[in-house]
Amino acid sequence: MADTSAALAFEWTKVRTLRSTLWSLVLCFLVSVLIALLFGWVLRGAYDDMSPESKADFDPVGSGFNGLRLGMISLVVFGVLTVTSEYSTGTIRSSLAAVPRRGVFYAAKVLTGTAIAFVVSVVVVFVTFFTAQTAIGDAHNASITDHGVARAIVGSILYMTLICAFSMGLATVLRSPALSLGILVPLFFMVSEILNNLPGVQKVAQFLPDAAGGIIIRSEPQEHMILTAWSGMAVLAGWVVIALLGGYAALRRRDA
């Protein structure tokens, strides 16, 4: 227990002293909130010009959370850098010398990164929600007590946290920040988005980690989805478990 506490304190110190990880968290907040504000203003002015079908499908919660997906890029960067910065600088050897039990070392790193991601996600999601709904205006916005809103807020927090944990697991396998981000950023923010808009592969593409978890962001489910909000979150959790186990296996078998 003492070893675990010391390892957690060690990881916390490393995160606090690494400027790039701190800046990525700040950017996550700024990007998410600013895009929510812009989307809200645009939707406030555009709502009256929407077709009746668009108005019927309008989801102020999902629309307000559009900024989370871009802000989440910074959270992915945070997760990757938390793991790979030591490999890039060569300090991984001294870290493993200080915490020789690799299971404890890995658990401390994942727990520290995930805990920070959770706290940041709580702040980002709540501020984003209230910013977006204020910008949309009282005539068309959503209240936190409306049906499906609390679930979307809680789910968004879990979604962002789990995506960060997934990124940490994959980064442990790959060890390279460039390679990890070169896979994760296009997958989450380009490939997945494209595949989920292609009718032929849409039903399969929703099982990708970001697509499955992102279902819960909307207050109302979309008709073409096989997964529900919580089954999608379960699929994302499964991906996270696979990534973290893969990272642990890679850390145990490879030399520093």
Side-chain angles (χ1 to χ4, degrees):
M1 189 67 177
D3 289 346
T4 303
S5 299
L8 287 169
F10 187 38
E11 291 301 325
W12 170 242
T13 300
K14 285 189 286 187
V15 170
R16 285 192 299 112
T17 54
L18 192 62
R19 288 185 180 181
S20 55
T21 58
L22 296 177
W23 275 113
S24 63
L25 296 176
V26 172
L27 282 173
C28 177
F29 176 84
L30 292 177
V31 170
S32 299
V33 174
L34 287 174
I35 292 179
L37 183 63
L38 291 173
F39 261 90
W41 278 340
V42 170
L43 291 170
R44 181 198 286 255
Y47 185 86
D48 291 336
D49 297 327
M50 291 182 182
S51 66
E53 294 79 10
S54 297
K55 289 182 179 180
D57 293 335
F58 178 62
D59 181 359
V61 179
S63 299
F65 279 155
N66 275 328
L68 293 181
R69 290 189 60 81
L70 287 177
M72 201 166 62
I73 295 177
S74 299
L75 206 57
V76 168
V77 172
F78 165 77
V80 169
L81 293 181
T82 298
V83 171
T84 60
S85 59
E86 293 186 277
Y87 290 101
S88 301
T89 59
T91 56
I92 185 65
R93 295 180 181 86
S94 58
S95 293
L96 289 175
V99 187
R101 295 172 59 188
R102 297 199 176 192
V104 173
F105 172 79
Y106 184 59
K109 187 174 290 292
V110 171
L111 286 173
T112 301
T114 303
I116 293 171
F118 175 77
V119 173
V120 171
S121 297
V122 170
V123 175
V124 168
V125 168
F126 274 100
V127 175
T128 296
F129 173 78
F130 288 111
T131 299
Q133 301 313 310
T134 301
I136 290 172
D138 294 338
H140 313 299
N141 66 3
S143 168
I144 198 168
T145 57
D146 290 348
H147 173 72
V149 174
R151 186 213 66 213
I153 290 174
V154 172
S156 297
I157 294 169
L158 293 175
Y159 174 49
M160 296 181 71
T161 304
L162 289 174
I163 285 292
C164 182
F166 178 85
S167 302
M168 294 179 70
L170 184 62
T172 306
V173 174
L174 300 176
R175 295 189 175 192
S176 164
L179 182 58
S180 300
L181 293 174
I183 292 174
L184 289 169
V185 173
L187 173 64
F188 287 167
F189 308 104
M190 290 166 46
V191 176
S192 180
E193 191 71 22
I194 293 170
L195 293 179
N196 273 278
N197 284 284
L198 294 177
V201 296
Q202 195 175 54
K203 291 185 178 180
V204 176
Q206 67 185 266
F207 285 87
L208 291 171
D210 65 309
I215 296 171
I216 206 167
I217 285 180
R218 299 181 63 86
S219 60
E220 298 294 338
Q222 294 175 294
E223 292 182 0
H224 67 273
M225 305 300 288
I226 297 174
L227 296 171
T228 64
W230 291 113
S231 64
M233 189 59 62
V235 169
L236 172 57
W239 279 104
V240 172
V241 170
I242 293 170
L244 292 178
L245 289 176
Y248 177 61
L251 184 65
R252 283 195 63 184
R253 294 178 181 177
R254 294 177 185 168
D255 293 332

